[in-house]
């Protein structure tokens, strides 16, 4: 999310060419959070704020973004994380990565998600009857509301900590390039399917014997979400170590494009016809895992062909993307609460919301760059060079 590979530490390894297309993809995936949440207002999904009549095309648009965005993001995150692991001493790597991820997450709680909680509590029914909650219910409700928008940062903190062990094992393994030349999409899809079946079995056992765990915000994000996205993080690290694997990602494959279309159709069908008491979440996990593999090829192939060039605009978006992501959520809620009811046309409301929220978010980004404390909290840089 930050421009992590800007560090320059002398290493005895050969410097690889800058991966401009990965910078671009990472920035755009982060910025897709804005149309995702604005379209959520106008979709048939139940959210804190919804329009009076849902829009079918915005529902489909929202589901498409949600079906693949974070899987591809974690592949890129794993790729750059392992690259930096090889560039730093392990303890130094852990410190830098946790600072770059953890400090913005912690800063966002009092500055963004805590005010957002009071906004939801007083102007929507999303929080519920707060006064009737017992201590644990209040704690769990606060946990959900304070970290739900920051969930991917918490997952990154956990994956980074696990990386101290996993990356050491990966680094010390011989790089068997010949073996990875034999790895194809069928092998990867089979591995992800097998992992998904194990994950689904684990979730179903928890659902049978300890269902309250799944309603706990910290457990749901810290354990279930982390383990769901772990293979994508590791796939990115493997792609850095084994160039034949990365080459597989960036080659156009019509079968993978077709697979992405079919999997998305299954994703939509599962959202429409499954129920929470049935196999909705297990099927969702399997589809998300498969969709992530398919869309890694689709996004990387198009990105490598169209976006693999240096651009000051992309550099700016890379640096701005995390702040934009963090600030856009409360702005979207404010828009949904106070402006959405006054715009009758859903499509018009969506585009007005996009324009207004992006404009305010980038304005706040420019303001924060000029305040040293805020610049440090959200970019890890104490002074502008």
């Amino acid at each position: 999310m930050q421009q992590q590979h800007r560090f320059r530490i002398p290493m005895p390894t050969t410097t690889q060419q800058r991966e401009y297309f990965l910078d671009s993809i990472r920035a755009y995936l982060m910025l897709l959070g804005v149309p995702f949440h604005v379209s959520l207002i106008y979709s048939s999904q139940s959210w804190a704020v919804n329009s009076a009549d849902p829009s079918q095309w915005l529902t489909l648009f929202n589901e498409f973004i949600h079906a693949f965005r974070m899987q591809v993001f974690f592949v890129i995150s794993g790729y750059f994380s392992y690259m930096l692991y090889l560039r730093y001493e392990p303890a130094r790597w852990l410190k830098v990565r946790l600072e770059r991820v953890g400090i913005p997450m912690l800063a966002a709680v009092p500055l963004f998600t805590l005010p957002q909680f009071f906004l939801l509590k007083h102007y929507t029914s999303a929080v519920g009857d707060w006064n009737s909650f017992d201590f644990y219910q209040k704690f769990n409700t606060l946990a959900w509301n304070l970290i739900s928008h920051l969930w991917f940062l918490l997952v990154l903190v956990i994956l980074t900590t696990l990386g101290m062990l996993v990356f050491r094992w990966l680094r010390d393994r011989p790089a068997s390039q010949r073996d990875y030349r034999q790895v194809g999409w069928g092998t990867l899809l089979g591995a992800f399917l097998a992992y998904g079946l194990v994950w689904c079995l684990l979730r179903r056992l928890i659902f049978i014997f300890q269902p309250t765990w799944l309603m706990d915000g910290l457990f749901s994000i810290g354990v279930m979400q982390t383990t769901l996205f772990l293979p994508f993080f590791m796939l990115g690290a493997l792609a850095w170590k084994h160039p034949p694997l990365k080459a597989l990602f960036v080659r156009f494959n019509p079968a993978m494009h077709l697979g992405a279309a079919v999997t998305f159709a299954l994703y939509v069908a599962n959202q429409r016809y499954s129920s929470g008491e049935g196999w909705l979440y297990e099927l969702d996990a399997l589809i998300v895992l498969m969709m992530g593999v398919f869309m890694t090829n689709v996004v990387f192939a198009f990105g490598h062909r169209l976006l693999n060039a240096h651009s000051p605009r992309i550099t700016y978006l890379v640096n701005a993307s995390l702040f934009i992501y963090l600030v856009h959520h409360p702005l979207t809620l404010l828009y949904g609460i106070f402006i959405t009811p006054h715009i009758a046309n859903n499509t018009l409301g969506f585009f007005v919301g996009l324009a207004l929220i992006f404009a305010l978010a980038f304005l706040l980004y420019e303001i924060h760059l000029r305040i040293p404390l805020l610049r440090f909290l959200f970019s890890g840089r104490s002074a502008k060079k």
Side-chain angles (χ1 to χ4, degrees):
M1 293 167 313
Q2 313 288 328
Q3 197 167 358
Q4 299 155 343
H5 52 297
R6 291 181 60 186
F7 301 105
R8 294 290 181 263
I9 303 296
M11 292 294 293
T13 56
T14 302
T15 302
Q16 295 196 12
Q17 184 179 359
R18 177 75 165 251
E19 306 287 2
Y20 292 114
F21 77 102
L22 292 180
D23 277 341
S24 300
I25 294 171
R26 180 174 52 178
Y28 289 134
L29 289 175
M30 288 292 293
L31 294 175
L32 270 178
V34 180
F36 169 74
H37 283 108
V38 178
S39 64
L40 195 56
I41 296 174
Y42 300 100
S43 75
S44 59
Q45 304 287 342
S46 177
W47 197 45
V49 183
N50 288 111
S51 63
D53 297 308
S55 164
Q56 292 304 311
W57 85 265
L58 285 170
T59 298
L60 199 64
F61 175 74
N62 179 269
E63 290 173 336
F64 176 69
I65 296 175
H66 192 254
F68 79 92
R69 183 170 67 102
M70 296 313 299
Q71 301 94 300
V72 180
F73 172 83
F74 277 107
V75 173
I76 297 174
S77 181
Y79 184 90
F80 283 127
S81 292
Y82 185 65
M83 179 193 73
L84 287 176
Y85 181 84
L86 298 179
R87 192 171 294 184
Y88 283 108
E89 292 293 330
R92 170 70 174 161
W93 171 81
L94 182 64
K95 177 178 182 294
V96 169
R97 292 296 297 135
L98 290 182
E99 285 177 350
R100 284 299 177 90
V101 177
I103 291 178
M105 180 182 70
L106 294 175
V109 172
L111 294 177
F112 297 141
T113 59
L114 185 59
Q116 179 181 282
F117 168 75
F118 288 106
L119 181 70
L120 291 172
K121 183 172 178 290
H122 291 292
Y123 290 97
T124 75
S125 59
V127 173
D129 187 4
W130 175 262
N131 294 326
S132 67
F133 290 170
D134 60 28
F135 176 79
Y136 172 74
Q137 288 174 321
K138 289 182 177 179
F139 171 80
N140 192 40
T141 301
L142 271 175
W144 275 112
N145 282 278
L146 296 186
I147 65 175
S148 61
H149 178 52
L150 312 175
W151 72 268
F152 78 97
L153 290 175
L154 178 58
V155 169
L156 273 178
V157 166
I158 297 171
L159 291 176
T160 298
T161 306
L162 292 175
M164 283 291 287
L165 300 175
V166 180
F167 286 174
R168 179 179 179 182
W169 168 81
L170 184 61
R171 180 196 63 191
D172 295 340
R173 289 190 65 198
S176 305
Q177 300 291 351
R178 181 177 302 174
D179 293 340
Y180 275 85
R181 290 192 186 100
Q182 307 304 317
V183 172
W185 287 114
T187 303
L188 288 176
L189 288 167
F192 272 73
L193 178 61
Y195 182 90
L197 291 172
V198 173
W199 189 93
C200 291
L201 176 62
L202 172 64
R203 188 193 183 281
R204 181 53 50 167
L205 290 173
I206 295 173
F207 180 75
I208 294 172
F209 295 106
Q210 291 290 343
T212 55
W213 290 4
L214 299 175
M215 294 183 288
D216 185 273
L218 293 176
F219 181 84
S220 179
I221 296 172
V223 176
M224 303 307 294
Q225 291 285 75
T226 299
T227 52
L228 181 64
F229 289 101
L230 172 62
F232 294 103
F233 188 77
M234 289 305 303
L235 185 62
L238 287 169
W240 171 265
K241 180 166 183 175
H242 302 285
L245 191 57
K246 185 178 75 172
L248 182 69
F249 292 168
V250 299
R251 284 198 302 268
F252 278 96
N253 188 318
M256 297 298 289
H257 291 55
L258 177 62
V262 172
T263 309
F264 177 61
L266 293 174
Y267 178 86
V268 173
N270 185 53
Q271 296 294 316
R272 299 288 190 279
Y273 303 115
S274 293
S275 65
E277 283 116 14
W279 295 88
L280 168 67
Y281 296 104
E282 286 81 3
L283 288 173
D284 183 77
L286 288 175
I287 293 170
V288 160
L289 288 166
M290 296 296 101
M291 185 75 173
V293 179
F294 288 127
M295 287 300 293
T296 295
N297 176 242
V298 174
V299 174
F300 276 42
F302 277 104
H304 188 261
R305 175 170 294 187
L306 302 175
L307 303 172
N308 200 22
H310 172 66
S311 166
R313 176 175 57 86
I314 293 299
T315 301
Y316 176 83
L317 291 178
V318 168
N319 292 329
S321 58
L322 177 58
F323 182 89
I324 300 300
Y325 180 85
L326 293 175
V327 76
H328 89 271
H329 198 265
L331 291 177
T332 304
L333 289 171
L334 286 168
Y335 177 81
I337 293 170
F338 297 109
I339 300 179
T340 294
H342 302 289
I343 302 178
N345 184 281
N346 286 337
T347 300
L348 177 62
F350 171 71
F351 285 109
V352 170
L354 274 187
L356 184 60
I357 291 165
F358 267 127
L360 289 174
F362 278 107
L363 175 63
L364 290 172
Y365 174 70
E366 288 295 328
I367 292 173
H368 114 281
L369 289 179
R370 290 155 177 79
I371 302 175
L373 177 59
L374 292 179
R375 182 178 175 86
F376 170 74
L377 290 176
F378 292 106
S379 66
R381 297 173 180 85
S382 56
K384 186 175 182 179
K385 295 183 180 181

